[in-house]
Structures are given as C-alpha cells and as structure tokens.
Amino acid sequence: MKAQTIPGIEPVLTFRVGPRFLGISISKILEILPTPKPTPVPLAFAHVEGIVEYRKALIPVYNLGRRLSVPPNPSASSHLIVIRDGDASFGVTVDEIGKIISQPTPADLPAGRPVQGLPPGLLQFAADDGGSIVPVILPQALLTARDPIRMEA
C-alpha cells in the first residue's frame, strides 16, 4: 500500500553519515559548505568538533558521525550543513550530500521501533523514497542528549 503525500510535510535533503542515509527538512537548512577547520572547545563533548565563524557569528559544529557512534570514513569528503532550529544555529558535519526529496511521503512503520538504528525520539518521520526508508531527523534532538546515540544494527 503506497502512502499518500501529507500536506505540511516539507521537502527533505538527504545526506550520508557512515553507511546510512538520513534526512533533514529543507526549512531548517541555512547553507551547505565544505567543512571548515573548527576551533576546538576545551572540555566539550566528543561529538563537538569546535566552533566556526558563520556570517559574523560563532556557531558550534557537531560531528554527526561521532554523535551517532558511526565509525569515521577517512575517504569521505565531509560537508557542513548549517542549521537553524528554533533559536539555535549550529553546524553538523556529514560524509556526503545526497539529494532532495521534494514530496516525501511518510513510510508506514511500526510505532516505537528504531528506524535504521535511530531511536524514535530523534525522528521527525521516516520518508519513503521509492522503496528505501530515509529517517528524517529532528536537529534539536541531536543537541539535547549528552550521551552518544548508539545506532542499532
């Protein structure tokens, strides 16, 4: 059974972190840049790469692979996705930028179960991209938990 497009669900940008593709609502994205070298922040969590200057403001940069406990891929060329979610502006590094799903349809999934290893609290919804499931993350949820998020196999 094919899911129907639901009004109010925005286009999604997909990106790869380790072996998995994830997504984020386009409305949260300010810009995509080559990853700059951040200035380290003493005593920061392991997933905080540091801070960078973005349009005359300092923003924190989070390594999404470390945040999700995904082993690093040294051959990947990383990108910085600059995000604004509510009052927070920050950057996340990802391994690869994918594509835009202009009319995402929610996937029909069992309630309360992880999607590609992500706990349900991190998901806005799971998009059905022509048969593959793309978890669409809530950016603010990545910032609130202090411990590493372990993606289940």
Side-chain angles (χ1 to χ4, degrees):
M1 179 175 162
K2 177 111 172 104
Q4 298 292 321
T5 302
I6 297 177
I9 292 187
E10 307 161 339
V12 168
L13 173 74
T14 65
F15 54 87
R16 187 175 55 77
V17 175
R20 295 188 167 103
F21 273 91
L22 303 171
I24 187 169
S25 293
I26 290 281
S27 67
K28 305 284 185 196
I29 297 172
L30 296 175
E31 194 167 356
I32 300 169
L33 305 165
T35 301
K37 179 151 179 56
T39 301
V41 176
L43 305 174
F45 294 111
H47 60 275
V48 178
E49 287 196 34
I51 56 174
V52 296
E53 185 176 345
Y54 175 74
R55 299 188 184 216
K56 299 184 181 180
L58 294 177
I59 62 168
V61 174
Y62 299 89
N63 181 307
L64 198 52
R66 276 191 234 145
R67 187 73 182 104
L68 299 175
S69 304
V70 174
N73 181 355
S75 64
S77 62
S78 70
H79 301 285
L80 180 70
I81 301 176
V82 181
I83 296 169
R84 179 142 184 98
D85 193 4
D87 292 334
S89 291
F90 55 94
V92 293
T93 57
V94 301
D95 293 335
E96 176 186 342
I97 300 298
K99 64 179 183 178
I100 293 174
I101 304 172
S102 58
Q103 294 184 331
T105 55
D108 196 15
L109 300 170
R113 302 238 2 238
V115 176
Q116 290 191 14
L118 286 172
L122 289 179
L123 295 177
Q124 182 176 355
F125 68 98
D128 183 346
D129 183 26
S132 24
I133 303 300
V134 177
V136 178
I137 60 173
L138 292 164
Q140 200 64 270
L142 292 169
L143 306 180
T144 55
R146 293 182 180 207
D147 297 323
I149 299 162
R150 305 246 181 250
M151 294 182 78
E152 298 172 9

